[in-house]
Amino acid sequence: MEPITTIGAAVVAYRSAKTIIANVKDVIETTEDIGEIAGHLNKIFHLKDAAEHQHEKETEKKEPTKLQRILRQRTGDDSESETTLANVAATELAKREHDSMITQLSISIDSKFGAGTFKQIELAHARAKAKKIKARREAEKERLKQLEKKRERQKKILIEVGKFIGVGVVFLLMTLMLMNAYESGPIR
Protein backbone atom coordinates (compact mmCIF):
# COMPACT_ATOMS: atom_id res chain seq x y z
CA MET A 1 0.00 0.00 0.00
CA GLU A 2 1.43 3.34 -1.01
CA PRO A 3 1.76 5.76 1.94
CA ILE A 4 1.01 8.81 -0.17
CA THR A 5 -2.10 7.14 -1.47
CA THR A 6 -3.60 6.37 1.93
CA ILE A 7 -2.72 9.72 3.44
CA GLY A 8 -3.83 11.63 0.35
CA ALA A 9 -7.09 9.70 0.21
CA ALA A 10 -7.77 10.40 3.90
CA VAL A 11 -7.10 14.10 3.36
CA VAL A 12 -9.36 14.13 0.28
CA ALA A 13 -12.14 12.39 2.23
CA TYR A 14 -11.88 14.96 5.02
CA ARG A 15 -11.91 17.80 2.45
CA SER A 16 -15.01 16.34 0.79
CA ALA A 17 -16.73 16.21 4.15
CA LYS A 18 -15.74 19.84 4.66
CA THR A 19 -17.64 20.95 1.54
CA ILE A 20 -20.68 18.91 2.50
CA ILE A 21 -20.64 20.39 6.01
CA ALA A 22 -20.64 23.87 4.49
CA ASN A 23 -23.63 22.90 2.34
CA VAL A 24 -25.45 21.49 5.35
CA LYS A 25 -24.91 24.72 7.25
CA ASP A 26 -26.62 26.60 4.42
CA VAL A 27 -29.49 24.09 4.42
CA ILE A 28 -29.86 24.39 8.21
CA GLU A 29 -30.32 28.14 7.96
CA THR A 30 -33.12 27.83 5.39
CA THR A 31 -35.04 24.80 6.66
CA GLU A 32 -37.38 24.17 9.56
CA ASP A 33 -37.53 20.38 9.22
CA ILE A 34 -34.69 18.10 10.36
CA GLY A 35 -35.83 15.52 7.80
CA GLU A 36 -34.54 17.71 4.97
CA ILE A 37 -31.06 17.62 6.47
CA ALA A 38 -30.94 13.84 6.90
CA GLY A 39 -29.48 13.09 3.48
CA HIS A 40 -26.70 15.60 3.96
CA LEU A 41 -25.90 14.28 7.43
CA ASN A 42 -25.78 10.76 6.02
CA LYS A 43 -23.15 11.91 3.51
CA ILE A 44 -21.12 13.52 6.30
CA PHE A 45 -21.16 10.38 8.43
CA HIS A 46 -20.34 8.23 5.41
CA LEU A 47 -17.36 10.41 4.48
CA LYS A 48 -16.17 10.48 8.09
CA ASP A 49 -16.26 6.67 8.21
CA ALA A 50 -14.55 6.45 4.84
CA ALA A 51 -11.77 8.77 5.94
CA GLU A 52 -11.22 6.83 9.17
CA HIS A 53 -11.05 3.52 7.32
CA GLN A 54 -9.01 4.78 4.37
CA HIS A 55 -5.78 3.31 5.71
CA GLU A 56 -7.30 -0.15 5.41
CA LYS A 57 -8.04 0.21 1.72
CA GLU A 58 -5.67 0.45 -1.19
CA THR A 59 -6.38 2.92 -3.96
CA GLU A 60 -4.46 4.12 -6.98
CA LYS A 61 -1.43 6.36 -6.42
CA LYS A 62 -2.27 10.06 -6.27
CA GLU A 63 -0.15 13.16 -6.18
CA PRO A 64 0.57 14.61 -2.74
CA THR A 65 -1.84 17.30 -1.61
CA LYS A 66 -0.77 20.93 -1.39
CA LEU A 67 -0.57 20.67 2.39
CA GLN A 68 1.66 17.60 2.12
CA ARG A 69 4.00 19.37 -0.32
CA ILE A 70 4.28 22.40 1.96
CA LEU A 71 4.97 20.25 5.01
CA ARG A 72 7.58 18.23 3.12
CA GLN A 73 9.34 21.39 1.98
CA ARG A 74 9.42 22.83 5.48
CA THR A 75 10.57 19.61 7.13
CA GLY A 76 13.00 18.78 4.32
CA ASP A 77 11.68 15.23 4.13
CA ASP A 78 11.27 13.57 0.71
CA SER A 79 10.37 10.12 2.03
CA GLU A 80 7.02 8.57 1.15
CA SER A 81 6.72 6.64 4.40
CA GLU A 82 3.50 6.98 6.42
CA THR A 83 5.55 7.74 9.52
CA THR A 84 7.25 10.90 8.26
CA LEU A 85 6.41 14.12 10.03
CA ALA A 86 4.94 15.69 6.89
CA ASN A 87 2.59 12.80 6.16
CA VAL A 88 1.44 12.37 9.75
CA ALA A 89 0.95 16.12 10.11
CA ALA A 90 -1.09 16.36 6.90
CA THR A 91 -3.45 13.62 8.02
CA GLU A 92 -3.76 14.94 11.56
CA LEU A 93 -4.40 18.53 10.42
CA ALA A 94 -7.09 17.40 7.97
CA LYS A 95 -8.72 15.31 10.70
CA ARG A 96 -8.69 18.19 13.19
CA GLU A 97 -10.12 20.58 10.63
CA HIS A 98 -12.88 18.06 9.91
CA ASP A 99 -13.60 17.57 13.62
CA SER A 100 -13.77 21.33 14.09
CA MET A 101 -16.29 21.65 11.27
CA ILE A 102 -18.37 18.81 12.71
CA THR A 103 -18.39 20.63 16.05
CA GLN A 104 -19.54 23.83 14.35
CA LEU A 105 -22.24 21.88 12.53
CA SER A 106 -23.42 20.32 15.77
CA ILE A 107 -23.67 23.76 17.35
CA SER A 108 -25.71 25.01 14.37
CA ILE A 109 -28.09 22.05 14.49
CA ASP A 110 -28.45 22.26 18.27
CA SER A 111 -29.17 25.98 18.15
CA LYS A 112 -31.76 25.52 15.39
CA PHE A 113 -33.51 22.37 16.66
CA GLY A 114 -32.73 22.28 20.38
CA ALA A 115 -29.88 21.18 22.59
CA GLY A 116 -28.74 17.59 22.13
CA THR A 117 -30.27 17.13 18.67
CA PHE A 118 -26.95 16.49 16.94
CA LYS A 119 -25.87 14.07 19.69
CA GLN A 120 -29.14 12.16 19.18
CA ILE A 121 -28.48 12.08 15.44
CA GLU A 122 -24.98 10.71 16.05
CA LEU A 123 -26.33 8.08 18.45
CA ALA A 124 -29.03 7.05 15.98
CA HIS A 125 -26.39 6.77 13.27
CA ALA A 126 -24.17 4.66 15.54
CA ARG A 127 -27.10 2.37 16.43
CA ALA A 128 -28.05 1.95 12.77
CA LYS A 129 -24.45 1.20 11.88
CA ALA A 130 -24.15 -1.35 14.71
CA LYS A 131 -27.45 -2.94 13.66
CA LYS A 132 -26.21 -3.23 10.07
CA ILE A 133 -22.93 -4.81 11.22
CA LYS A 134 -24.82 -7.23 13.48
CA ALA A 135 -27.17 -8.20 10.64
CA ARG A 136 -24.19 -8.78 8.34
CA ARG A 137 -22.51 -10.99 10.96
CA GLU A 138 -25.71 -12.96 11.55
CA ALA A 139 -26.16 -13.43 7.81
CA GLU A 140 -22.59 -14.72 7.58
CA LYS A 141 -23.21 -17.11 10.49
CA GLU A 142 -26.40 -18.35 8.82
CA ARG A 143 -24.56 -18.82 5.52
CA LEU A 144 -21.83 -20.82 7.26
CA LYS A 145 -24.48 -22.87 9.08
CA GLN A 146 -26.24 -23.65 5.79
CA LEU A 147 -22.92 -24.53 4.18
CA GLU A 148 -22.13 -26.89 7.07
CA LYS A 149 -25.57 -28.54 6.73
CA LYS A 150 -24.99 -28.97 3.00
CA ARG A 151 -21.58 -30.55 3.60
CA GLU A 152 -23.05 -32.86 6.24
CA ARG A 153 -25.84 -33.90 3.85
CA GLN A 154 -23.33 -34.55 1.06
CA LYS A 155 -21.24 -36.62 3.46
CA LYS A 156 -24.28 -38.72 4.43
CA ILE A 157 -25.21 -39.21 0.78
CA LEU A 158 -21.66 -40.27 -0.02
CA ILE A 159 -21.69 -42.77 2.86
CA GLU A 160 -25.02 -44.24 1.72
CA VAL A 161 -23.81 -44.50 -1.88
CA GLY A 162 -20.69 -46.24 -0.59
CA LYS A 163 -22.83 -48.70 1.36
CA PHE A 164 -24.99 -49.35 -1.71
CA ILE A 165 -21.92 -49.99 -3.86
CA GLY A 166 -20.46 -52.27 -1.16
CA VAL A 167 -23.66 -54.33 -0.96
CA GLY A 168 -23.79 -54.46 -4.77
CA VAL A 169 -20.20 -55.74 -4.96
CA VAL A 170 -20.88 -58.41 -2.31
CA PHE A 171 -24.07 -59.44 -4.13
CA LEU A 172 -22.16 -59.61 -7.45
CA LEU A 173 -19.41 -61.74 -5.90
CA MET A 174 -21.97 -64.10 -4.38
CA THR A 175 -23.72 -64.35 -7.76
CA LEU A 176 -20.42 -65.15 -9.51
CA MET A 177 -19.57 -67.78 -6.89
CA LEU A 178 -23.00 -69.39 -7.25
CA MET A 179 -22.73 -69.38 -11.06
CA ASN A 180 -19.25 -70.94 -10.81
CA ALA A 181 -20.58 -73.57 -8.41
CA TYR A 182 -23.51 -74.32 -10.75
CA GLU A 183 -21.19 -74.73 -13.72
CA SER A 184 -18.77 -76.90 -11.77
CA GLY A 185 -21.46 -79.30 -10.74
CA PRO A 186 -21.99 -81.10 -7.43
CA ILE A 187 -19.07 -81.59 -5.09
CA ARG A 188 -18.01 -85.27 -4.79
Side-chain angles (χ1 to χ4, degrees), residues 151-171:
R151 286 181 184 158
E152 195 64 36
R153 185 170 179 258
Q154 288 174 343
K155 183 178 176 182
K156 285 181 180 180
I157 289 172
L158 192 61
I159 288 172
E160 293 301 319
V161 167
K163 288 179 185 178
F164 181 75
I165 291 173
V167 168
V169 167
V170 168
F171 182 72

Side-chain angles (χ1 to χ4, degrees), residues 21 25 93-107:
I21 290 170
K25 282 184 180 181
L93 289 173
K95 183 178 181 202
R96 285 185 184 208
E97 183 180 17
H98 178 262
D99 290 342
S100 171
M101 294 199 70
I102 290 284
T103 302
Q104 291 172 5
L105 179 65
S106 72
I107 291 169

Side-chain angles (χ1 to χ4, degrees), residues 2-3 8 15 21 33 42 48 56 71 77 85 88 94-95 99-100 107-108 117 119 136 139-140 145 161 163 165 180:
E2 296 292 327
R15 301 290 168 146
I21 290 170
D33 182 20
N42 189 31
K48 182 179 179 184
E56 298 172 8
L71 288 170
D77 190 7
L85 181 61
V88 171
K95 183 178 181 202
D99 290 342
S100 171
I107 291 169
S108 297
T117 303
K119 188 54 93 178
R136 197 177 314 138
E140 181 64 20
K145 188 177 176 182
V161 167
K163 288 179 185 178
I165 291 173
N180 188 26

Side-chain angles (χ1 to χ4, degrees), residues 37 60 66-67 107 139 147 150 156 164-165 173:
I37 303 171
E60 75 258 7
K66 184 178 180 181
L67 180 60
I107 291 169
L147 185 63
K150 183 178 177 182
K156 285 181 180 180
F164 181 75
I165 291 173
L173 288 175

